[in-house]
PDB file of all heavy atoms in Angstrom:
ATOM      1  N   VAL A  86     -68.887  37.715  20.552  1.00 96.00           N
ATOM      2  CA  VAL A  86     -68.650  38.852  19.666  1.00 96.00           C
ATOM      3  C   VAL A  86     -67.387  39.569  20.125  1.00 96.00           C
ATOM      4  O   VAL A  86     -67.232  39.886  21.315  1.00 96.00           O
ATOM      5  CB  VAL A  86     -69.848  39.823  19.671  1.00 96.00           C
ATOM      6  CG1 VAL A  86     -69.656  40.902  18.617  1.00 96.00           C
ATOM      7  CG2 VAL A  86     -71.153  39.068  19.433  1.00 96.00           C
ATOM      8  N   PHE A  87     -66.487  39.823  19.200  1.00 96.00           N
ATOM      9  CA  PHE A  87     -65.250  40.520  19.528  1.00 96.00           C
ATOM     10  C   PHE A  87     -64.899  41.482  18.400  1.00 96.00           C
ATOM     11  O   PHE A  87     -65.429  41.396  17.285  1.00 96.00           O
ATOM     12  CB  PHE A  87     -64.102  39.536  19.772  1.00 96.00           C
ATOM     13  CG  PHE A  87     -63.952  38.486  18.702  1.00 96.00           C
ATOM     14  CD1 PHE A  87     -63.177  38.712  17.578  1.00 96.00           C
ATOM     15  CD2 PHE A  87     -64.611  37.261  18.821  1.00 96.00           C
ATOM     16  CE1 PHE A  87     -63.047  37.755  16.598  1.00 96.00           C
ATOM     17  CE2 PHE A  87     -64.481  36.288  17.839  1.00 96.00           C
ATOM     18  CZ  PHE A  87     -63.700  36.538  16.714  1.00 96.00           C
ATOM     19  N   VAL A  88     -64.003  42.416  18.731  1.00 96.00           N
ATOM     20  CA  VAL A  88     -63.585  43.442  17.777  1.00 96.00           C
ATOM     21  C   VAL A  88     -62.302  43.001  17.093  1.00 96.00           C
ATOM     22  O   VAL A  88     -61.468  42.315  17.690  1.00 96.00           O
ATOM     23  CB  VAL A  88     -63.396  44.792  18.505  1.00 96.00           C
ATOM     24  CG1 VAL A  88     -62.902  45.880  17.544  1.00 96.00           C
ATOM     25  CG2 VAL A  88     -64.697  45.223  19.158  1.00 96.00           C
ATOM     26  N   GLU A  89     -62.165  43.401  15.867  1.00 93.00           N
ATOM     27  CA  GLU A  89     -60.949  43.099  15.112  1.00 93.00           C
ATOM     28  C   GLU A  89     -59.713  43.550  15.897  1.00 93.00           C
ATOM     29  O   GLU A  89     -59.697  44.641  16.467  1.00 93.00           O
ATOM     30  CB  GLU A  89     -61.005  43.808  13.759  1.00 93.00           C
ATOM     31  CG  GLU A  89     -59.793  43.568  12.878  1.00 93.00           C
ATOM     32  CD  GLU A  89     -59.862  44.355  11.588  1.00 93.00           C
ATOM     33  OE1 GLU A  89     -60.742  45.230  11.462  1.00 93.00           O
ATOM     34  OE2 GLU A  89     -59.025  44.103  10.697  1.00 93.00           O
ATOM     35  N   ASN A  90     -58.712  42.709  15.931  1.00 87.00           N
ATOM     36  CA  ASN A  90     -57.446  42.973  16.621  1.00 87.00           C
ATOM     37  C   ASN A  90     -57.578  42.985  18.139  1.00 87.00           C
ATOM     38  O   ASN A  90     -56.708  43.518  18.836  1.00 87.00           O
ATOM     39  CB  ASN A  90     -56.813  44.292  16.157  1.00 87.00           C
ATOM     40  CG  ASN A  90     -56.458  44.264  14.679  1.00 87.00           C
ATOM     41  OD1 ASN A  90     -56.073  43.224  14.145  1.00 87.00           O
ATOM     42  ND2 ASN A  90     -56.588  45.407  14.015  1.00 87.00           N
ATOM     43  N   ASP A  91     -58.668  42.420  18.666  1.00 87.00           N
ATOM     44  CA  ASP A  91     -58.777  42.257  20.119  1.00 87.00           C
ATOM     45  C   ASP A  91     -57.700  41.294  20.613  1.00 87.00           C
ATOM     46  O   ASP A  91     -57.217  40.435  19.867  1.00 87.00           O
ATOM     47  CB  ASP A  91     -60.154  41.702  20.498  1.00 87.00           C
ATOM     48  CG  ASP A  91     -61.104  42.798  20.930  1.00 87.00           C
ATOM     49  OD1 ASP A  91     -60.680  43.956  20.966  1.00 87.00           O
ATOM     50  OD2 ASP A  91     -62.269  42.491  21.216  1.00 87.00           O
ATOM     51  N   ALA A  92     -57.347  41.427  21.891  1.00 83.00           N
ATOM     52  CA  ALA A  92     -56.348  40.525  22.467  1.00 83.00           C
ATOM     53  C   ALA A  92     -56.886  39.094  22.541  1.00 83.00           C
ATOM     54  O   ALA A  92     -56.136  38.133  22.392  1.00 83.00           O
ATOM     55  CB  ALA A  92     -55.929  41.006  23.855  1.00 83.00           C
ATOM     56  N   VAL A  93     -58.185  38.952  22.793  1.00 77.00           N
ATOM     57  CA  VAL A  93     -58.809  37.628  22.885  1.00 77.00           C
ATOM     58  C   VAL A  93     -59.746  37.473  21.690  1.00 77.00           C
ATOM     59  O   VAL A  93     -60.764  38.156  21.599  1.00 77.00           O
ATOM     60  CB  VAL A  93     -59.585  37.461  24.198  1.00 77.00           C
ATOM     61  CG1 VAL A  93     -60.239  36.093  24.258  1.00 77.00           C
ATOM     62  CG2 VAL A  93     -58.662  37.661  25.387  1.00 77.00           C
ATOM     63  N   THR A  94     -59.387  36.605  20.770  1.00 71.00           N
ATOM     64  CA  THR A  94     -60.207  36.384  19.591  1.00 71.00           C
ATOM     65  C   THR A  94     -60.282  34.887  19.299  1.00 71.00           C
ATOM     66  O   THR A  94     -59.661  34.072  19.982  1.00 71.00           O
ATOM     67  CB  THR A  94     -59.633  37.113  18.364  1.00 71.00           C
ATOM     68  OG1 THR A  94     -58.305  36.609  18.100  1.00 71.00           O
ATOM     69  CG2 THR A  94     -59.579  38.611  18.589  1.00 71.00           C
ATOM     70  N   ALA A  95     -61.046  34.548  18.282  1.00 85.00           N
ATOM     71  CA  ALA A  95     -61.150  33.168  17.804  1.00 85.00           C
ATOM     72  C   ALA A  95     -61.321  33.238  16.296  1.00 85.00           C
ATOM     73  O   ALA A  95     -61.444  34.326  15.712  1.00 85.00           O
ATOM     74  CB  ALA A  95     -62.319  32.460  18.471  1.00 85.00           C
ATOM     75  N   GLU A  96     -61.323  32.082  15.673  1.00 91.00           N
ATOM     76  CA  GLU A  96     -61.557  32.043  14.230  1.00 91.00           C
ATOM     77  C   GLU A  96     -63.002  32.465  13.972  1.00 91.00           C
ATOM     78  O   GLU A  96     -63.945  31.773  14.372  1.00 91.00           O
ATOM     79  CB  GLU A  96     -61.311  30.637  13.699  1.00 91.00           C
ATOM     80  CG  GLU A  96     -61.323  30.549  12.186  1.00 91.00           C
ATOM     81  CD  GLU A  96     -60.072  31.154  11.565  1.00 91.00           C
ATOM     82  OE1 GLU A  96     -59.043  31.243  12.251  1.00 91.00           O
ATOM     83  OE2 GLU A  96     -60.145  31.511  10.381  1.00 91.00           O
ATOM     84  N   PRO A  97     -63.237  33.627  13.319  1.00 94.00           N
ATOM     85  CA  PRO A  97     -64.617  34.117  13.165  1.00 94.00           C
ATOM     86  C   PRO A  97     -65.405  33.294  12.162  1.00 94.00           C
ATOM     87  O   PRO A  97     -64.864  32.754  11.193  1.00 94.00           O
ATOM     88  CB  PRO A  97     -64.421  35.558  12.670  1.00 94.00           C
ATOM     89  CG  PRO A  97     -63.097  35.545  11.989  1.00 94.00           C
ATOM     90  CD  PRO A  97     -62.256  34.561  12.743  1.00 94.00           C
ATOM     91  N   GLN A  98     -66.683  33.197  12.406  1.00 94.00           N
ATOM     92  CA  GLN A  98     -67.617  32.557  11.476  1.00 94.00           C
ATOM     93  C   GLN A  98     -68.411  33.585  10.687  1.00 94.00           C
ATOM     94  O   GLN A  98     -69.087  33.227   9.718  1.00 94.00           O
ATOM     95  CB  GLN A  98     -68.571  31.639  12.238  1.00 94.00           C
ATOM     96  CG  GLN A  98     -67.876  30.449  12.876  1.00 94.00           C
ATOM     97  CD  GLN A  98     -68.823  29.658  13.750  1.00 94.00           C
ATOM     98  OE1 GLN A  98     -69.341  30.169  14.744  1.00 94.00           O
ATOM     99  NE2 GLN A  98     -69.062  28.401  13.395  1.00 94.00           N
ATOM    100  N   ALA A  99     -68.357  34.859  11.118  1.00 95.00           N
ATOM    101  CA  ALA A  99     -69.066  35.922  10.405  1.00 95.00           C
ATOM    102  C   ALA A  99     -68.373  37.251  10.707  1.00 95.00           C
ATOM    103  O   ALA A  99     -67.744  37.426  11.757  1.00 95.00           O
ATOM    104  CB  ALA A  99     -70.530  35.978  10.818  1.00 95.00           C
ATOM    105  N   TYR A 100     -68.523  38.159   9.748  1.00 96.00           N
ATOM    106  CA  TYR A 100     -67.965  39.505   9.892  1.00 96.00           C
ATOM    107  C   TYR A 100     -69.089  40.531   9.844  1.00 96.00           C
ATOM    108  O   TYR A 100     -70.062  40.374   9.089  1.00 96.00           O
ATOM    109  CB  TYR A 100     -66.983  39.813   8.763  1.00 96.00           C
ATOM    110  CG  TYR A 100     -65.728  38.973   8.755  1.00 96.00           C
ATOM    111  CD1 TYR A 100     -65.550  37.973   7.810  1.00 96.00           C
ATOM    112  CD2 TYR A 100     -64.719  39.194   9.684  1.00 96.00           C
ATOM    113  CE1 TYR A 100     -64.396  37.199   7.792  1.00 96.00           C
ATOM    114  CE2 TYR A 100     -63.558  38.430   9.678  1.00 96.00           C
ATOM    115  CZ  TYR A 100     -63.406  37.435   8.731  1.00 96.00           C
ATOM    116  OH  TYR A 100     -62.269  36.676   8.726  1.00 96.00           O
ATOM    117  N   VAL A 101     -68.927  41.602  10.637  1.00 97.00           N
ATOM    118  CA  VAL A 101     -69.817  42.757  10.577  1.00 97.00           C
ATOM    119  C   VAL A 101     -68.949  43.977  10.302  1.00 97.00           C
ATOM    120  O   VAL A 101     -67.990  44.238  11.028  1.00 97.00           O
ATOM    121  CB  VAL A 101     -70.617  42.939  11.887  1.00 97.00           C
ATOM    122  CG1 VAL A 101     -71.462  44.202  11.819  1.00 97.00           C
ATOM    123  CG2 VAL A 101     -71.490  41.728  12.156  1.00 97.00           C
ATOM    124  N   GLU A 102     -69.303  44.717   9.244  1.00 97.00           N
ATOM    125  CA  GLU A 102     -68.527  45.895   8.865  1.00 97.00           C
ATOM    126  C   GLU A 102     -69.461  47.084   8.712  1.00 97.00           C
ATOM    127  O   GLU A 102     -70.634  46.937   8.340  1.00 97.00           O
ATOM    128  CB  GLU A 102     -67.775  45.648   7.556  1.00 97.00           C
ATOM    129  CG  GLU A 102     -66.761  44.520   7.630  1.00 97.00           C
ATOM    130  CD  GLU A 102     -66.047  44.313   6.311  1.00 97.00           C
ATOM    131  OE1 GLU A 102     -65.042  45.009   6.074  1.00 97.00           O
ATOM    132  OE2 GLU A 102     -66.495  43.457   5.524  1.00 97.00           O
ATOM    133  N   LEU A 103     -68.909  48.280   8.982  1.00 97.00           N
ATOM    134  CA  LEU A 103     -69.695  49.510   8.906  1.00 97.00           C
ATOM    135  C   LEU A 103     -68.822  50.597   8.290  1.00 97.00           C
ATOM    136  O   LEU A 103     -67.641  50.728   8.619  1.00 97.00           O
ATOM    137  CB  LEU A 103     -70.156  49.928  10.304  1.00 97.00           C
ATOM    138  CG  LEU A 103     -71.317  50.929  10.402  1.00 97.00           C
ATOM    139  CD1 LEU A 103     -72.595  50.303   9.858  1.00 97.00           C
ATOM    140  CD2 LEU A 103     -71.524  51.364  11.842  1.00 97.00           C
ATOM    141  N   SER A 104     -69.430  51.373   7.396  1.00 98.00           N
ATOM    142  CA  SER A 104     -68.748  52.508   6.781  1.00 98.00           C
ATOM    143  C   SER A 104     -69.558  53.764   7.085  1.00 98.00           C
ATOM    144  O   SER A 104     -70.673  53.942   6.582  1.00 98.00           O
ATOM    145  CB  SER A 104     -68.624  52.304   5.267  1.00 98.00           C
ATOM    146  OG  SER A 104     -68.002  53.417   4.654  1.00 98.00           O
ATOM    147  N   LEU A 105     -69.020  54.633   7.934  1.00 97.00           N
ATOM    148  CA  LEU A 105     -69.743  55.826   8.413  1.00 97.00           C
ATOM    149  C   LEU A 105     -69.468  57.028   7.516  1.00 97.00           C
ATOM    150  O   LEU A 105     -68.320  57.356   7.239  1.00 97.00           O
ATOM    151  CB  LEU A 105     -69.305  56.170   9.839  1.00 97.00           C
ATOM    152  CG  LEU A 105     -69.966  55.452  11.003  1.00 97.00           C
ATOM    153  CD1 LEU A 105     -69.318  55.887  12.308  1.00 97.00           C
ATOM    154  CD2 LEU A 105     -71.459  55.718  11.048  1.00 97.00           C
ATOM    155  N   SER A 106     -70.550  57.702   7.105  1.00 97.00           N
ATOM    156  CA  SER A 106     -70.402  58.942   6.340  1.00 97.00           C
ATOM    157  C   SER A 106     -71.008  60.144   7.057  1.00 97.00           C
ATOM    158  O   SER A 106     -70.641  61.285   6.770  1.00 97.00           O
ATOM    159  CB  SER A 106     -71.031  58.794   4.953  1.00 97.00           C
ATOM    160  OG  SER A 106     -72.390  58.412   5.053  1.00 97.00           O
ATOM    161  N   ARG A 107     -71.955  59.903   7.968  1.00 97.00           N
ATOM    162  CA  ARG A 107     -72.514  61.001   8.787  1.00 97.00           C
ATOM    163  C   ARG A 107     -72.770  60.483  10.183  1.00 97.00           C
ATOM    164  O   ARG A 107     -73.342  59.409  10.364  1.00 97.00           O
ATOM    165  CB  ARG A 107     -73.796  61.558   8.176  1.00 97.00           C
ATOM    166  CG  ARG A 107     -74.482  62.615   9.058  1.00 97.00           C
ATOM    167  CD  ARG A 107     -75.599  63.304   8.307  1.00 97.00           C
ATOM    168  NE  ARG A 107     -75.075  64.186   7.260  1.00 97.00           N
ATOM    169  CZ  ARG A 107     -75.769  64.584   6.200  1.00 97.00           C
ATOM    170  NH1 ARG A 107     -77.008  64.161   6.030  1.00 97.00           N
ATOM    171  NH2 ARG A 107     -75.216  65.386   5.319  1.00 97.00           N
ATOM    172  N   PHE A 108     -72.368  61.284  11.185  1.00 98.00           N
ATOM    173  CA  PHE A 108     -72.497  60.864  12.583  1.00 98.00           C
ATOM    174  C   PHE A 108     -72.551  62.117  13.450  1.00 98.00           C
ATOM    175  O   PHE A 108     -71.664  62.414  14.230  1.00 98.00           O
ATOM    176  CB  PHE A 108     -71.296  59.990  12.959  1.00 98.00           C
ATOM    177  CG  PHE A 108     -71.506  59.098  14.163  1.00 98.00           C
ATOM    178  CD1 PHE A 108     -72.400  58.046  14.134  1.00 98.00           C
ATOM    179  CD2 PHE A 108     -70.787  59.298  15.328  1.00 98.00           C
ATOM    180  CE1 PHE A 108     -72.581  57.228  15.223  1.00 98.00           C
ATOM    181  CE2 PHE A 108     -70.951  58.494  16.428  1.00 98.00           C
ATOM    182  CZ  PHE A 108     -71.859  57.445  16.376  1.00 98.00           C
ATOM    183  N   SER A 109     -73.647  62.883  13.308  1.00 97.00           N
ATOM    184  CA  SER A 109     -73.780  64.155  14.014  1.00 97.00           C
ATOM    185  C   SER A 109     -75.195  64.680  13.784  1.00 97.00           C
ATOM    186  O   SER A 109     -76.058  63.963  13.246  1.00 97.00           O
ATOM    187  CB  SER A 109     -72.755  65.175  13.498  1.00 97.00           C
ATOM    188  OG  SER A 109     -72.998  65.476  12.132  1.00 97.00           O
ATOM    189  N   THR A 110     -75.429  65.916  14.169  1.00 97.00           N
ATOM    190  CA  THR A 110     -76.690  66.568  13.816  1.00 97.00           C
ATOM    191  C   THR A 110     -76.674  66.880  12.326  1.00 97.00           C
ATOM    192  O   THR A 110     -75.715  67.461  11.810  1.00 97.00           O
ATOM    193  CB  THR A 110     -76.874  67.863  14.623  1.00 97.00           C
ATOM    194  OG1 THR A 110     -76.967  67.535  16.018  1.00 97.00           O
ATOM    195  CG2 THR A 110     -78.141  68.584  14.208  1.00 97.00           C
ATOM    196  N   GLY A 111     -77.743  66.488  11.624  1.00 96.00           N
ATOM    197  CA  GLY A 111     -77.791  66.648  10.179  1.00 96.00           C
ATOM    198  C   GLY A 111     -78.477  67.924   9.742  1.00 96.00           C
ATOM    199  O   GLY A 111     -78.859  68.769  10.565  1.00 96.00           O
ATOM    200  N   PRO A 112     -78.662  68.095   8.439  1.00 95.00           N
ATOM    201  CA  PRO A 112     -79.321  69.309   7.920  1.00 95.00           C
ATOM    202  C   PRO A 112     -80.737  69.493   8.438  1.00 95.00           C
ATOM    203  O   PRO A 112     -81.242  70.613   8.504  1.00 95.00           O
ATOM    204  CB  PRO A 112     -79.310  69.079   6.400  1.00 95.00           C
ATOM    205  CG  PRO A 112     -78.224  68.089   6.156  1.00 95.00           C
ATOM    206  CD  PRO A 112     -78.193  67.212   7.372  1.00 95.00           C
ATOM    207  N   SER A 113     -81.389  68.388   8.808  1.00 93.00           N
ATOM    208  CA  SER A 113     -82.764  68.483   9.311  1.00 93.00           C
ATOM    209  C   SER A 113     -82.844  69.019  10.732  1.00 93.00           C
ATOM    210  O   SER A 113     -83.936  69.303  11.226  1.00 93.00           O
ATOM    211  CB  SER A 113     -83.419  67.098   9.265  1.00 93.00           C
ATOM    212  OG  SER A 113     -82.733  66.198  10.127  1.00 93.00           O
ATOM    213  N   GLY A 114     -81.693  69.120  11.413  1.00 95.00           N
ATOM    214  CA  GLY A 114     -81.692  69.526  12.813  1.00 95.00           C
ATOM    215  C   GLY A 114     -81.801  68.363  13.763  1.00 95.00           C
ATOM    216  O   GLY A 114     -81.740  68.551  14.986  1.00 95.00           O
TER     217      GLY A 114
END
C-alpha cells in the first residue's frame, strides 16, 4: 500500500479515495 505521488510506487491494481466533509467535534458533541 502506498500513497499517491510517493517516491516508491508501482503500477496500482486498485485505488482508494476519500472525500472529507467533516473531521472534528460535531453538533452532537
Side-chain angles (χ1 to χ4, degrees):
V86 187
F87 49 88
V88 178
E89 180 183 11
N90 297 325
D91 262 358
V93 179
T94 60
E96 189 73 23
Q98 294 173 297
Y100 294 107
V101 176
E102 298 180 86
L103 198 66
S104 178
L105 276 177
S106 56
R107 175 170 289 158
F108 201 67
S109 64
T110 296
S113 63

